[in-house]
DNA sequence: CTCGATAGGTGTACGGCGTACACCTCGACC
DNA sequence: GGTCGAGGTGTACGCCGTACACCTATCGAG
């Protein structure tokens, strides 16, 4: 039912999805009340793919692993992050996922209040995506370098950073603006902070 | 020009904005190429409101202050955060803001690479909004408590947390799910982490 | 074997959107 | 006075989500 999402990316829908299924648009409404419900459905389908198998051991690697697993799942469906952001009410699968994360924190000795703040601090990162302000799209480093030089006058610091990134990408592959690295960097920074708060009580 | 945004919230646009201005829709296209450009315009107008006056002293309070100032500005225009999220290319005012933040970090003794990672770690928080997964809309605590009890079976940990929040809201006002508190909590956690990394070199 | 209910597909239509294209109006300037 | 360009107008196209009425195939009860 909600598995035909892979073929068509989001942004195109309902009528489009209908023809994709060789059916008239209105036929879809025999299965879902409206488009939002359909989106909820496919979001749930994706989120349910995340492995929630119980783990034991330290809370930190457990949570780190689960969040990175969520990230892997969401990266397989690039449209999913955007779709989840847009929703205002969480779907059951998302609730189940959140519950499992909270459970891991609680089992790790975190108090209820601390978990609450910690979840807020993670924000959407808990689901494995971090909502970059602008996508550092994979343009070639040379073009990036040109652009950086161009804005060196107006935005000196930004240009300095952009130049460094472009340079890194040219010399050693993957050391530049590696989304996965940045994600883990931020995640570990937060987890370490949480650990200190936990110890402080 | 781009100041008529206050009256009409986003989600309603172009034709709607045109009638709001007592003009035919197509007239707008004499001033902007398309809707995206118009959105860029009003985003820039809002972001430009953020105070970028130079500050001196420690990097941490300086950056903290600037980010919280950005938050205040964006909170005045609730639609702005969503609009910025949706954009993929940064507008000039956003670039200028980012440049100022990066400048503060650099002046505070952060290396180029570290600043790069740190900016990623802040993500959209650098602009003062944190993209909650679902909006804990201001429903009254009693209803929230009922809902929490209802899902205690399916999502025990989530329910536990929800109950605590509902309880806090009933006893001491504002101590429950205070967005501003949560934002500063996460921000300080990150800033403290940055400080440790800076000292470690 | 008929009959009625029901699940699911169909066709038409409405109101809204962004915007391409051709046209008109009016003031400024030579 | 004639030209020109900035800015407003009107019509039209193709998209979207979906309300409503209709049709058809299936299946269990009588």
């Amino acid at each position: 039912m909600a598995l035909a999402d892979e073929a068509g990316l989001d942004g195109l829908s309902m009528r489009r999805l209908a023809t994709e299924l060789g059916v008239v648009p209105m036929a879809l409404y025999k299965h879902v009340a409206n488009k939002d419900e359909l989106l909820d459905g496919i979001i749930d389908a994706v989120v349910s793919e995340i492995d929630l198998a119980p783990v034991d051991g330290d809370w930190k690697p457990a949570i780190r692993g689960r969040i990175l697993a969520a990230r892997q799942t969401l990266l397989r469906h690039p449209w999913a992050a955007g779709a989840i952001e847009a929703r205002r009410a969480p779907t059951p699968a998302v609730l189940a996922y959140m519950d499992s994360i909270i459970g891991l924190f609680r089992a790790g000795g975190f108090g209820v209040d601390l978990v609450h703040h910690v979840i807020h601090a993670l924000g959407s990162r808990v689901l494995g995506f971090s909502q970059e302000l602008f996508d550092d799209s994979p343009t070639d480093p040379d073009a990036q370098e040109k652009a950086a030089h161009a804005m060196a006058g107006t935005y000196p610091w930004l240009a300095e950073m952009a130049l460094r990134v472009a340079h890194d990408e040219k010399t050693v592959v993957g050391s530049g603006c590696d989304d996965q690295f940045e994600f883990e960097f931020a995640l570990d920074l937060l987890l370490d902070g949480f650990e200190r708060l936990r110890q402080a009580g």
Side-chain angles (χ1 to χ4, degrees), chain A residues 139-146 149 162-177:
Chain A
T139 53
D140 76 302
D142 284 323
Q144 227 170 319
E145 197 170 343
K146 279 278 165 42
H149 274 121
L163 275 177
R164 165 60 67 95
V165 172
H167 176 261
D168 284 2
E169 268 174 7
K170 276 205 291 197
T171 51
V172 37
V173 170
S175 139
C177 206

Side-chain angles (χ1 to χ4, degrees), chain A residues 45-184:
Chain A
V46 168
V47 174
S48 299
E49 288 179 15
I50 302 171
D51 181 20
L52 294 188
V55 290
D56 40 284
D58 265 8
W59 67 270
K60 210 196 285 191
I63 289 178
R64 191 175 191 277
R66 181 152 300 175
I67 290 182
L68 289 179
R71 176 174 175 79
Q72 283 317 113
T73 301
L74 287 233
L75 283 183
R76 274 203 301 278
H77 313 281
W79 50 267
I84 294 177
E85 278 178 40
R87 215 108 308 262
R88 62 250 161 284
T91 66
V94 172
L95 286 177
Y97 174 79
M98 298 291 288
D99 194 67
S100 87
I101 292 284
I102 297 172
L104 288 179
F105 273 118
R106 296 287 286 119
F110 283 73
V112 178
D113 285 334
L114 185 51
V115 172
H116 177 209
H117 300 143
V118 146
I119 293 287
H120 272 281
L122 282 172
S124 69
R125 199 150 2 223
V126 76
L127 261 167
F129 61 94
S130 61
Q131 185 210 15
E132 303 298 339
L133 230 20
F134 29 85
D135 56 343
D136 352 339
S137 50
T139 53
D140 76 302
D142 284 323
Q144 227 170 319
E145 197 170 343
K146 279 278 165 42
H149 274 121
M151 67 181 180
T154 326
Y155 313 114
W157 303 111
L158 209 52
E160 178 195 46
M161 200 177 83
L163 275 177
R164 165 60 67 95
V165 172
H167 176 261
D168 284 2
E169 268 174 7
K170 276 205 291 197
T171 51
V172 37
V173 170
S175 139
C177 206
D178 178 348
D179 278 350
Q180 181 70 24
F181 173 84
E182 302 297 348
F183 185 87
E184 294 188 27

